[in-house]
Amino acid sequence: MGSKSKIHVKDKKKFIRFVLICVLAVAVITAVILIKTAERPKEGEITYSAPADIQVSNEEMTAFRSRIGTDMDIKKAVLVLFETEDECIAFISEHGADKEPANAGEGIVPLMENGYCNIVGKHGIEEVFDTLSDGEYSKTPVLYSNLYCYLKRIGVDSPISNDEELKKLIQNEKFQEMRKKGD
């Protein structure tokens, strides 16, 4: 009788191993199926993974340039703000020609990401900016928002003057339109 129980226990161990292997195999297969079906686009869903996949023709670039004009220009300037005109005049005479006037430690320097302010839309400042050449600064204070400003023109960047930047803009615009249609 003792030998029958040993055989029976061995069979149970084999059976349990077999069941565990089967459960593990089913779990792996289920996981693979779930991953594969999650990767498939749903009906009506956009299949582009990035705007860079979208083709842009020369005609589209020309049309975009004429449609946008200078509306997307970035007018780069250094600004230092003062509460009084006399403080601003003194700053201009001492630091106006400095390479980095914002580092003089005087006045209020607004947040200038990448070392400049984009002054587009700041009408009083933008008008003076347009009269200056790149690298030139205003010899007199510019009144803006009840403050007196030192203004140094860095330059104008236009994304439509660079073909690669323009292509990225158009690709992104097309991608957004496609996403909107897919919603």
Coordinates of all heavy atoms in Angstrom, one line a residue, residues 25 32 37 48 66-67 84 94 104 109 125-126 128 150 153 159 180:
A25 N 1.6 29.8 -19.6 CA 1.5 29.9 -21.1 C 0.3 30.8 -21.5 O 0.4 31.6 -22.3 CB 1.5 28.6 -21.7
V32 N 0.5 39.1 -24.7 CA 0.9 39.4 -26.1 C -0.2 39.9 -26.9 O -0.1 40.9 -27.6 CB 1.6 38.2 -26.7 CG1 1.8 38.4 -28.2 CG2 2.9 37.9 -26.0
T37 N -3.1 44.3 -29.7 CA -4.4 44.9 -30.0 C -4.4 46.4 -29.5 O -5.0 47.2 -30.1 CB -5.6 44.2 -29.4 OG1 -5.5 44.1 -28.0 CG2 -5.8 42.8 -30.0
Y48 N -0.7 58.5 -37.8 CA 0.6 59.1 -37.7 C 1.2 59.1 -36.3 O 0.5 59.4 -35.4 CB 0.6 60.6 -38.2 CG 0.4 60.7 -39.7 CD1 -0.9 61.0 -40.2 CD2 1.4 60.5 -40.6 CE1 -1.1 61.1 -41.6 CE2 1.2 60.5 -41.9 CZ 0.0 60.9 -42.4 OH -0.2 61.0 -43.8
S66 N 3.1 83.3 -47.8 CA 2.3 84.5 -48.1 C 1.1 84.7 -47.2 O 0.7 85.8 -46.9 CB 1.8 84.3 -49.6 OG 0.9 83.3 -49.7
R67 N 0.5 83.6 -46.6 CA -0.6 83.8 -45.7 C -0.1 84.4 -44.4 O -0.8 85.2 -43.8 CB -1.2 82.4 -45.5 CG -2.4 82.4 -44.6 CD -3.0 81.1 -44.4 NE -2.1 80.3 -43.5 CZ -2.2 79.1 -43.2 NH1 -3.2 78.3 -43.8 NH2 -1.4 78.5 -42.4
T84 N 12.4 105.8 -12.8 CA 12.5 107.2 -13.1 C 13.3 107.3 -14.4 O 14.1 106.5 -14.8 CB 13.2 108.0 -12.0 OG1 14.6 107.5 -11.9 CG2 12.5 107.8 -10.7
E94 N 26.0 104.9 -18.9 CA 27.1 104.0 -18.3 C 27.1 102.6 -19.0 O 28.2 102.1 -19.2 CB 26.8 103.8 -16.8 CG 27.1 105.0 -16.0 CD 26.9 104.7 -14.5 OE1 27.4 103.6 -14.0 OE2 26.3 105.5 -13.9
A104 N 24.4 94.3 -15.7 CA 25.0 95.4 -14.9 C 24.5 95.4 -13.5 O 25.1 96.1 -12.7 CB 24.7 96.7 -15.6
V109 N 15.1 93.8 -14.6 CA 15.3 93.0 -15.8 C 14.2 92.0 -15.9 O 14.1 91.1 -15.0 CB 16.7 92.3 -15.9 CG1 16.8 91.4 -17.1 CG2 17.8 93.3 -15.7
I125 N 7.4 100.0 -27.4 CA 8.7 99.5 -27.5 C 9.0 99.0 -29.0 O 10.0 99.2 -29.5 CB 8.9 98.3 -26.5 CG1 8.9 98.8 -25.1 CG2 10.3 97.6 -26.8 CD1 8.9 97.8 -24.0
E126 N 8.0 98.3 -29.5 CA 8.1 97.8 -30.9 C 8.4 98.9 -31.9 O 9.2 98.7 -32.8 CB 6.9 97.0 -31.3 CG 7.1 96.1 -32.5 CD 5.9 95.2 -32.8 OE1 4.9 95.3 -32.1 OE2 6.0 94.4 -33.7
V128 N 10.0 101.7 -31.5 CA 11.4 102.2 -31.3 C 12.3 101.0 -31.8 O 13.3 101.3 -32.6 CB 11.7 102.5 -29.8 CG1 13.2 102.8 -29.7 CG2 10.9 103.7 -29.4
Y150 N 15.4 100.9 -21.0 CA 16.5 100.8 -21.9 C 16.2 99.6 -22.9 O 15.7 98.6 -22.5 CB 17.8 100.4 -21.1 CG 18.9 99.8 -21.9 CD1 19.8 100.7 -22.5 CD2 19.1 98.5 -22.1 CE1 20.8 100.2 -23.3 CE2 20.1 98.0 -22.8 CZ 21.0 98.8 -23.5 OH 22.0 98.4 -24.2
R153 N 18.3 96.3 -29.4 CA 17.8 95.4 -30.4 C 18.8 94.3 -30.7 O 20.0 94.6 -30.9 CB 17.5 96.1 -31.7 CG 17.0 95.2 -32.8 CD 16.8 96.0 -34.1 NE 16.6 95.1 -35.2 CZ 15.7 95.3 -36.2 NH1 14.9 96.4 -36.1 NH2 15.5 94.5 -37.1
P159 N 10.3 82.4 -38.4 CA 10.3 80.9 -38.7 C 10.0 80.6 -40.2 O 10.4 79.6 -40.7 CB 9.2 80.4 -37.8 CG 8.4 81.5 -37.4 CD 9.3 82.7 -37.5
K180 N -8.0 66.7 -35.2 CA -9.3 67.3 -34.9 C -10.4 66.6 -35.7 O -11.5 66.4 -35.2 CB -9.2 68.8 -35.4 CG -10.4 69.7 -34.9 CD -10.1 71.1 -35.3 CE -11.1 72.0 -34.7 NZ -10.8 73.4 -35.0

